[in-house]
Amino acid sequence: MAKKPFYITTPIYYPSDKLHIGHSYTTVAADTMARYKRMRGYDVMFLTGTDEHGQKIEKVANKQGITPKKYVDNIVDWIKDLWKTMDISYDKFIRTTDKEHEETVQKIFKELYDKGDIYKGSYEGWYCTPCESFFTERQLEDGKCPDCGRPVDKVKEEAYFFKLSKYQDKLIEYIESHEEFIQPKTRQNEMLNNFLRPGLEDLCVSRTSFEWGIPVEFDKGHVVYVWLDALSNYISALGYSSDNDEKYKKYWPVDVHLVGKEIVRFHTIIWPAMLMALGEPLPKQVFGHGWLVINGGKMSKSKGNVVDPKILVDRYGSDSIRYFLMREIAFGQDGNFTNETLIQRINSDLANDLGNLVSRTVAMIKKYFGDEFLTKFEATEYDKEVEEMAINTVEKVEDVMEQLFFSDALVEIWNLVRRTNKYIDETRPWVLAKEEDKKPELANVLYHLAENLRIISILIEPFMPNTPKLIREQLGITDEGIMTWESTKKWGTLSKDIKVNQGNIIFPRIDITKELNELEEAQKAGKEEPKEVKEEDYISIDDFAKVELKVGEVIECNKVEGADKLLVSKIKIGTEVRQIVSGIAKSYSPGEMIGKKVIVVTNLKPVKLRGVLSEGMILAASLKKNLVVATVDGDINSGAVVR
Ligand code: MSP
């Protein structure tokens, strides 16, 4: 039988800058759902990509003196690498600069124009470039963008308009008769009350004041408004209106568009109106999730509080970060991000609860049975409850996953993890192990632990794609038939011939105080970006030539009395010997300096530091607290000139 299709999308991201952990949140959620549906036997199409046109991108590229395409190419590579490190299993990555996409957008624009739903006029109003949104005077808040609070620009230009107002009543009717269309429900009320019922105005859908966009084919001075361009990605990626539209026929209408709450408006008003105008079916659901916030406020580069997901994945692994994102924030609501809550979650849920369950189970099986697991079992009074709980958990997880309540699914799974840990305390295997005739009971207890872990490893797989393999390796599970979602429906399918492989701890406990400091340092270092160099910041070659640099060999070195950061060195520079004081005592002992060939500034005016004469300066590189002296690569006599 053909598999049922399931189509899920993330928004396509602006590659105006590197993405932060908030962006990863949407993508991890979509990936979790895509993996879950694949495990449930669906033919999944998971789409993500980048939204590359528009004034914002043109501006940043201009500022850097490169073409917008070159600018986005770099960031798109970075984004793809991010998704790889986070195990994002997308089926297609669309770029709005893809030729096929550009052609589809041009066709859509033309079709809407031919149908009379796009007409030419002139636009006068306000534009927020960071949000790529038009606003009327009335919509502004204190003269600023009502969405992001940043200044807006006055725009007056010839433009094409889409007859959005024509679809107002149809949209209201559709939303009211399709409860599942906008989720969660609060967002539905927001759309109806704040936007649709007060009345829609026609939407400006072309721009003439900049160039970085898809040209309107029949009027080349215009480029297509970036949101019309971007929204079309959901169908252009499927080959809509091309010769190869099988995917469109198979996957459209989309099952769910996952989007952040601030762009629900574009997806539930503009997008369905466009589809109505094209005569195409509407998305089955648009789910507007909340934001990952920092101290209650949105993460943003201008606030300097963005969290780089690559740094986190590097330190804790993709599974831990994915788990945190999906567990900490109830899908639909905002959730606060702090380094501390992240580490606490990893320690309590992953290292303590799951990690301990795995290592205790494996260690006890190894210790009490080695490679000869007993197949004669004797039941305990606690068995039934843990068996039933495992099966009920599967049902509960399925139920909440259908509603995209990721966090609830993890709560259910962790209730099972904790209940299984409690079963160890109830049955006390270490006591059973002391008596030979209790061995069948002991084997039964350990089997229960291993079987629950097998089921848990399957339930967590959509969220944490790497951990299940590690658990199964340690439990010695190799039969793929008992790794499927279907196999969780029946308790007791694990073979009684258990042979474990004790391995590394799957989630080592993190020393929170030490780690918080190191993580903060790493995050600060990651934020340091190359400064923009202005004309007046450059020095000429003559300026540089004024600095005399020579190779010197340290022949003597001592601490400076009463100054814990200073060392005083005698340095041989050709035939002469100089005394130089340097602030390197925290990084080098005097003994370590002797014999080093360093680079010395020899024409600095001599000074006294803490009363000690210093006739020059030793060059050193430093990053935060880390300091190393600059030496020469290769053998060269002291006194050699450095240029
Ligand atoms: N390019 C548009 C989307 C076009 S879709 C046809 C866009 N891009 S974006 O890069 O600014 O944002 C992409 C997604 O990331 C949005 O859904 C947005 O809500 C989400 N997030 C950005 N910051 C976020 C958090 N701090 N937390 C959660 N999601 C966040 O909008």
Side-chain angles (χ1 to χ4, degrees):
M1 209 176 69
K3 288 180 172 183
K4 233 177 124 189
F6 180 81
Y7 182 27
I8 184 165
T9 67
T10 71
I12 47 172
Y13 297 90
Y14 289 126
S16 51
D17 217 325
K18 291 176 181 167
L19 304 187
H20 56 63
I21 192 78
H23 298 114
S24 317
Y25 175 65
T26 322
T27 313
V28 168
D31 184 68
T32 302
M33 188 43 76
R35 287 176 183 272
Y36 171 71
K37 288 286 178 180
R38 286 190 200 110
M39 288 178 83
R40 300 302 313 272
Y42 284 79
D43 172 352
V44 172
M45 171 72 190
F46 167 21
L47 176 73
T48 189
T50 39
D51 183 359
E52 306 185 8
H53 295 120
Q55 205 169 355
K56 174 160 65 176
I57 305 261
E58 191 180 87
K59 267 191 179 170
V60 278
N62 282 347
K63 218 167 151 194
Q64 294 205 1
I66 54 175
T67 63
K69 181 67 170 52
K70 182 138 186 33
Y71 180 84
V72 291
D73 279 352
N74 282 334
I75 303 205
V76 170
D77 284 347
W78 186 93
I79 293 176
K80 285 187 172 169
D81 181 62
L82 171 66
W83 297 152
K84 201 162 145 210
T85 60
M86 296 199 81
D87 298 295
I88 303 301
S89 60
Y90 56 78
D91 296 292
K92 183 172 167 81
F93 188 103
I94 188 167
R95 299 183 57 175
T96 53
T97 48
D98 290 342
K99 192 167 150 277
E100 300 77 24
H101 170 79
E102 295 193 344
E103 283 171 6
T104 309
V105 170
Q106 287 181 326
K107 278 192 214 160
I108 291 175
F109 199 95
K110 178 83 174 30
E111 189 178 334
L112 296 179
Y113 180 74
D114 290 344
K115 282 184 168 166
D117 271 335
I118 282 183
Y119 61 91
K120 201 168 185 174
S122 105
Y123 178 78
E124 190 169 353
W126 298 91
Y127 195 73
C128 173
T129 308
C131 295
E132 300 283 12
S133 298
F134 294 101
F135 294 105
T136 58
E137 183 86 38
R138 182 171 58 85
Q139 288 169 321
L140 300 181
E141 278 171 20
D142 297 331
K144 304 239 170 78
C145 169
D147 285 349
C148 72
R150 281 177 277 203
V152 284
D153 299 317
K154 181 102 190 156
V155 173
K156 188 174 180 197
E157 57 194 47
E158 182 189 80
Y160 285 92
F161 286 83
F162 172 57
K163 281 190 186 162
L164 193 58
S165 57
K166 175 176 155 188
Y167 293 95
Q168 176 180 319
D169 294 340
K170 275 192 183 171
L171 282 168
I172 295 178
E173 194 193 312
Y174 186 85
I175 292 171
E176 284 178 340
S177 60
H178 292 79
E179 280 287 308
E180 70 298 341
F181 176 54
I182 307 180
Q183 285 297 326
K185 180 115 200 257
T186 45
R187 311 245 184 262
Q188 177 183 320
N189 299 335
E190 206 180 304
M191 291 305 118
L192 287 169
N193 299 336
N194 300 358
F195 298 102
L196 283 154
R197 292 195 181 115
L200 293 177
E201 289 179 23
D202 288 352
L203 176 73
C204 177
V205 287
S206 78
R207 304 289 313 270
T208 49
S209 51
F210 66 97
E211 284 171 9
W212 182 236
I214 302 177
V216 172
E217 215 188 351
F218 53 89
D219 196 346
K220 288 281 162 54
H222 289 250
V223 293
V224 177
Y225 171 46
V226 65
W227 269 100
L228 193 120
D229 166 357
L231 289 162
S232 308
N233 94 89
Y234 299 129
I235 56 175
S236 75
L238 302 177
Y240 169 75
S241 90
S242 77
D243 295 339
N244 186 2
D245 65 354
E246 276 153 49
K247 286 211 168 104
Y248 181 71
K249 288 190 182 125
K250 180 165 158 197
Y251 294 112
W252 193 258
V254 69
D255 290 273
V256 53
H257 285 315
L258 279 190
V259 301
K261 60 182 178 182
E262 85 286 18
I263 57 171
V264 169
R265 182 162 60 97
F266 296 90
H267 286 80
T268 58
I269 298 176
I270 301 177
W271 180 223
M274 280 169 67
L275 289 163
M276 281 175 176
L278 291 168
E280 299 298 328
L282 304 200
K284 291 183 204 157
Q285 184 169 97
V286 175
F287 194 105
H289 65 71
W291 288 336
L292 203 58
V293 294
I294 292 208
N295 298 327
K298 206 177 174 202
M299 245 175 243
S300 80
K301 201 176 167 202
S302 51
K303 285 190 200 155
N305 64 2
V306 289
V307 176
D308 181 345
K310 283 193 182 173
I311 293 181
L312 298 181
V313 173
D314 246 20
R315 296 180 88 82
Y316 314 114
S318 137
D319 278 17
S320 302
I321 303 305
R322 291 173 61 114
Y323 174 80
F324 173 80
L325 291 174
M326 292 297 96
R327 172 63 185 84
E328 194 69 23
I329 303 126
F331 209 62
Q333 290 163 30
D334 286 353
N336 205 33
F337 178 90
T338 67
N339 288 340
E340 206 164 354
T341 43
L342 167 69
I343 298 171
Q344 273 161 354
R345 267 273 169 230
I346 296 178
N347 275 347
S348 70
D349 297 11
L350 301 181
N352 256 4
D353 296 339
L354 181 61
N356 268 345
L357 179 59
V358 175
S359 49
R360 285 164 94 190
T361 303
V362 172
M364 287 193 289
I365 295 178
K366 187 88 197 159
K367 182 168 172 198
Y368 302 136
F369 293 105
D371 285 342
E372 301 285 323
F373 202 75
L374 198 67
T375 47
K376 186 168 162 259
F377 284 8
E378 204 169 296
T380 78
E381 59 181 298
Y382 308 101
D383 299 354
K384 214 154 188 62
E385 200 189 320
V386 292
E387 289 168 21
E388 278 173 10
M389 185 162 179
I391 298 301
N392 291 341
T393 303
V394 177
E395 277 171 28
K396 285 183 188 160
V397 169
E398 288 175 0
D399 182 42
V400 289
M401 284 302 273
E402 284 312 315
Q403 302 167 66
L404 298 138
F405 293 155
F406 300 101
S407 170
D408 293 354
L410 287 173
V411 168
E412 294 298 343
I413 302 170
W414 255 255
N415 284 341
L416 177 64
V417 172
R418 293 192 187 112
R419 180 66 191 86
T420 311
N421 265 324
K422 190 172 155 214
Y423 174 79
I424 304 183
D425 304 332
E426 289 164 343
T427 55
R428 304 202 294 167
W430 52 92
V431 175
L432 300 175
K434 287 189 184 136
E435 291 173 49
E436 197 49 39
D437 64 336
K438 293 280 185 197
K439 281 270 164 97
E441 207 174 308
L442 177 64
N444 164 74
V445 166
L446 299 184
Y447 179 86
H448 273 73
L449 299 180
E451 173 63 347
N452 269 18
L453 267 175
R454 177 189 72 84
I455 294 174
I456 289 163
S457 79
I458 297 168
L459 296 180
I460 61 171
E461 200 169 314
F463 298 89
M464 307 165 84
N466 304 299
T467 307
K469 276 183 239 133
L470 304 178
I471 297 179
R472 289 173 201 145
E473 258 163 39
Q474 298 215 12
L475 288 174
I477 300 177
T478 50
D479 173 3
E480 294 201 352
I482 59 167
M483 298 178 194
T484 63
W485 193 275
E486 270 320 293
S487 76
T488 58
K489 310 263 162 156
K490 193 164 165 267
W491 198 92
T493 47
L494 180 68
S495 148
K496 285 184 174 175
D497 179 22
I498 304 177
K499 286 192 183 62
V500 295
N501 309 297
Q502 248 175 319
N504 292 336
I505 290 185
I506 55 174
F507 292 105
R509 231 191 127 68
I510 301 169
D511 174 341
I512 188 154
T513 338
K514 187 163 163 270
E515 180 59 23
L516 276 177
N517 287 334
E518 283 180 21
L519 176 56
E520 249 168 59
E521 287 287 302
Q523 287 170 330
K524 268 191 224 145
K527 273 182 200 148
E528 273 171 18
E529 292 199 11
K531 286 202 197 86
E532 212 182 308
V533 187
K534 297 195 207 87
E535 193 57 39
E536 60 269 27
D537 294 334
Y538 286 110
I539 60 163
S540 72
I541 188 79
D542 298 335
D543 296 329
F544 177 69
K546 286 185 195 152
V547 184
E548 193 179 83
L549 298 168
K550 286 187 181 167
V551 175
E553 184 178 348
V554 182
I555 51 174
E556 203 184 304
C557 185
N558 293 295
K559 289 193 164 167
V560 172
E561 289 272 313
D564 58 354
K565 286 188 187 150
L566 300 182
L567 293 183
V568 53
S569 311
K570 289 266 158 54
I571 302 187
K572 181 170 168 291
I573 304 165
T575 50
E576 123 189 69
V577 174
R578 295 246 190 135
Q579 171 169 295
I580 296 180
V581 177
S582 350
I584 55 175
K586 293 266 180 212
S587 306
Y588 292 90
S589 66
E592 281 173 313
M593 287 300 292
I594 293 174
K596 272 197 193 309
K597 283 204 173 147
V598 291
I599 298 174
V600 180
V601 182
T602 47
N603 60 345
L604 258 189
K605 199 169 165 189
V607 284
K608 275 197 172 169
L609 294 169
R610 294 286 179 115
V612 184
L613 179 71
S614 183
E615 305 162 299
M617 182 168 92
I618 297 176
L619 294 189
S622 70
L623 185 64
K624 310 287 162 205
K625 288 177 190 150
N626 190 14
L627 184 146
V628 290
V629 292
T631 56
V632 279
D633 175 29
D635 202 19
I636 190 152
N637 285 345
S638 75
V641 174
V642 179
R643 294 180 213 281

